[in-house]
Every structure is written in structure tokens, then in C-alpha cells.
Amino acid sequence: MTQPYSLMIHGGAGALEDLKYEASADDFKQSIVKILEAGRARLEEGDRALNVVEHCVNLLENDPFYNAGKGSVLNENGQVEMDAALMNGSDLKAGAVTCVKNIKNPISLARQVLEQGDHVMLAGEGAGKFAKLYKVEICPDDYFITPGRIKQLKEAQAAGRIVLDHEKIKQKLGTVGAVARDIHGNLAAATSTGGLVNKRWGRVGDTPVVGAGVFADDETCAVSATGYGEQFLRTVLSKTVSDYVYFKGMNATEAAKAGIEYLVAKVNGEGGVIVIDNAGKCAAAQSTSGLIHGWIELGGESICKLG
Ligand code: ASP
């Protein structure tokens, strides 16, 4: 028997009210709803949650509005170094890549790592070699780097700061992620990012770390996180949200809220999570004023929220 599907995506957390978008709030809403509808089409056909979260994140990575794939933020050397990971809730299989360069869709490289199955995470040059082996698309530097990102890096460096893409200094919005429950009742989660503006060369954030920036378990929920990666690493935030479901019997709404309360109480953390539980309930919570996200709960209409 099939079950109703649910899908959530996000485009990063931050202080949205201070932004001057290169795109308007309406542009973001349109982008989010379009991607949700693309995911819906696949879920209705019976596609697996893992394929759908990869596809939705591909679309977000290809859109220069977001800090992932094309339009990623720049590190201290003016380079794009990206992190991505995805996880399948039925068997806890996961794939992750970190500090990758010139990969058009880091989430699809992470998917290859998952499919090949020998390892969970590949880094840097080795991940690049693996990409060539499995014919994952490679693009030149100028595909990724946008004028807005060069300006943003200069501002961050002038201020001597390492910042979230979503802070005032930024021009565009953040890290991307997707969580889904398919008609077979399986959950999956995916997260992809360029990381923090002016981050150190070689820095690894929460996004590619299973349990920190991404987690999925059919018995509990699927989670994708966005915010200051170091804080999400120290609190293992995505797994913490799942643990609230597993050990305390919370639903998605309660677990998302409890997770963010924990993030704030423990490390005064800044960021947000999107969560779908094993009943298909969708929830988001954040400690920042904004979180660009949208959802389709149990086959209902597409809804987008920027805060
Ligand atoms: N969590 C990401 C990182 O620290 C940044 C973000 O979510 O915008 O790399």
C-alpha cells in the first residue's frame, strides 16, 4: 500500500530582513515552489526519497541564488570549495564529499560515494579523481564564481571576519538542503554548501558530516541543517533532532524545536533545520530571524516561507 509523500527544501538560514536581494523575495518564492513541484512530480511517480532529495538539491545547486554549486561563497583564497552529503533512511547508507572544487553538483558526487559503498566521505583531490572515474560533471572556476561573491569576500576580508552567507555582509542566500518521505514510507536527507564566506582553505563544516548537517533514519526522521557549521558539529545537531524522536517519541515539530533550543542553550548557535518525521509531518525551526524554506506535507499544496 502506498503512503502520502512529503517533501521539504531550504535555501539557508540568516538575517533576511537586512538583505538587499539581487533577487526579490518573490523570485525566491518562485524558485522554491518550482523546485518543490519538480520533486512532487517524481514522488508521485513513485520515485525513491533518495533520488528526489538529490534531484531537488541539484536544482538548488544550479541556481546561483544559493550558496551551493554555482554561486557558492568564496574561501580566504577566493576559491570555491564545496561540501555535500546525503543519507538514506532505510539502511542508513550515506555519501559525503568535502573541500571539492570544480564539481558542478557536489550532491551527485556524494551520491556516487554512497552507491560505490566502500567509504562514506571523500575529500579534496581524491574526491576530484573519483569524480572523473565516475564521470561526474566538472566545470571551470568561472562557472561557480559570481561577481556578487567576489564583492562579498572583499567586504568580509575588509571587516576581518569569517561569516555565514546569510549575514548582513552577504549578497545572496545560503546553503541548500532537502528532506523527503516517499510513497513507500522511506526517508532521505541531503545538504550541499559552499560553506562560510572567507573560511580557511581546507575548512570542513557540518554539511558533509553525517549527524551534524544531515541525517535520515526511517524509524525517526530526515533532517537537513543550515547555520554556523562549527556549532552544528559540536552539538551533532541533526542526529540530536533524530534522537528526540527516537528516545522521547517527539514528532517533527517538537523535535525541530527541541533541537534548536539545544543548539542555543549549549553553544548559542545560529541556524535552522528542516525535518520530516516517519509519519510524513513537516517542520522547521531556526534561531536566526530567517530560514528560506518550503514544503509539501502529505501530498498537500506547496508552501514557501522566507522566515
Ligand atoms: N552550515 C554551513 C557551513 O558551516 C553554512 C550554511 O549553512 O550556510 O558550512
Side-chain angles (χ1 to χ4, degrees):
M1 210 180 63
T2 61
Q3 307 185 27
Y5 58 82
S6 293
L7 175 65
M8 281 193 98
I9 61 174
H10 72 79
L16 304 183
E17 69 274 14
D18 294 321
L19 292 179
K20 288 223 177 348
Y21 296 126
E22 283 179 16
S24 68
D26 273 351
D27 290 334
F28 278 105
K29 282 192 176 152
Q30 271 175 28
S31 157
I32 292 286
V33 169
K34 203 169 152 199
I35 294 169
L36 283 171
E37 289 303 323
R40 182 202 296 278
R42 292 192 171 215
L43 286 164
E44 277 181 348
E45 281 168 8
D47 203 357
R48 294 172 60 198
L50 187 66
N51 293 335
V52 174
V53 294
E54 180 188 351
H55 180 62
C56 289
V57 169
N58 277 169
L59 297 175
L60 290 156
E61 287 172 337
N62 294 346
D63 188 333
F65 286 172
Y66 304 102
N67 172 21
K70 184 179 178 67
S72 284
V73 301
L74 304 179
N75 70 10
E76 62 179 353
N77 294 338
Q79 300 163 322
V80 168
E81 275 188 321
M82 299 166 288
D83 295 338
L86 79 183
M87 188 164 185
N88 187 41
S90 62
D91 52 12
L92 303 197
K93 281 193 179 162
V97 292
T98 185
C99 294
V100 294
K101 285 194 197 145
N102 301 103
I103 305 296
K104 184 176 183 214
N105 293 111
I107 203 69
S108 294
L109 184 56
R111 177 69 190 265
Q112 275 304 321
V113 176
L114 181 153
E115 290 304 330
Q116 297 315 314
D118 296 330
H119 304 297
V120 169
M121 192 190 294
L122 291 180
E125 259 183 74
K129 192 173 167 204
F130 179 84
K132 283 186 192 134
L133 197 64
Y134 289 98
K135 307 211 172 353
V136 173
E137 195 172 346
I138 299 195
C139 290
D141 290 344
D142 58 11
Y143 167 79
F144 298 91
I145 300 178
T146 63
R149 294 306 191 195
I150 295 171
K151 188 164 168 262
Q152 180 188 42
L153 176 66
K154 282 193 186 139
E155 285 171 9
Q157 289 183 332
R161 297 176 63 200
I162 298 169
V163 290
L164 264 187
D165 180 33
H166 337 288
E167 283 185 327
K168 287 182 189 170
I169 243 162
K170 80 195 234 12
Q171 300 292 315
K172 294 180 187 173
L173 296 168
T175 289
V176 305
V179 290
R181 178 198 192 235
D182 62 32
I183 63 169
H184 318 289
N186 296 135
L187 296 171
T191 313
S192 180
T193 190
L196 301 180
V197 184
N198 197 28
K199 66 183 181 180
R200 279 196 192 280
W201 178 34
R203 177 259 188 187
V204 178
D206 61 316
T207 300
V209 177
V210 170
V214 69
F215 195 73
D217 178 352
D218 282 1
E219 271 196 85
T220 59
C221 58
V223 186
S224 172
T226 169
Y228 273 102
E230 284 69 10
Q231 298 163 343
F232 283 74
L233 281 164
R234 289 159 61 210
T235 52
V236 201
L237 214 267
S238 294
K239 177 65 161 63
T240 298
V241 170
S242 167
D243 284 350
Y244 279 123
V245 179
Y246 192 78
F247 294 109
K248 301 249 183 201
M250 290 185 183
N251 65 22
T253 311
E254 293 160 343
K257 186 169 169 283
I260 293 300
E261 281 170 4
Y262 180 82
L263 177 78
V264 173
K266 287 289 173 183
V267 298
N268 201 19
E270 286 176 61
V273 288
I274 57 169
V275 184
I276 294 180
D277 66 26
N278 56 0
K281 192 169 181 50
C282 295
Q286 81 261 18
S287 59
T288 48
S289 54
L291 172 66
I292 295 184
H293 64 294
W295 66 92
I296 295 172
E297 188 172 60
L298 301 171
E301 60 174 314
S302 285
I303 298 172
C304 176
K305 260 185 92 180
L306 301 186

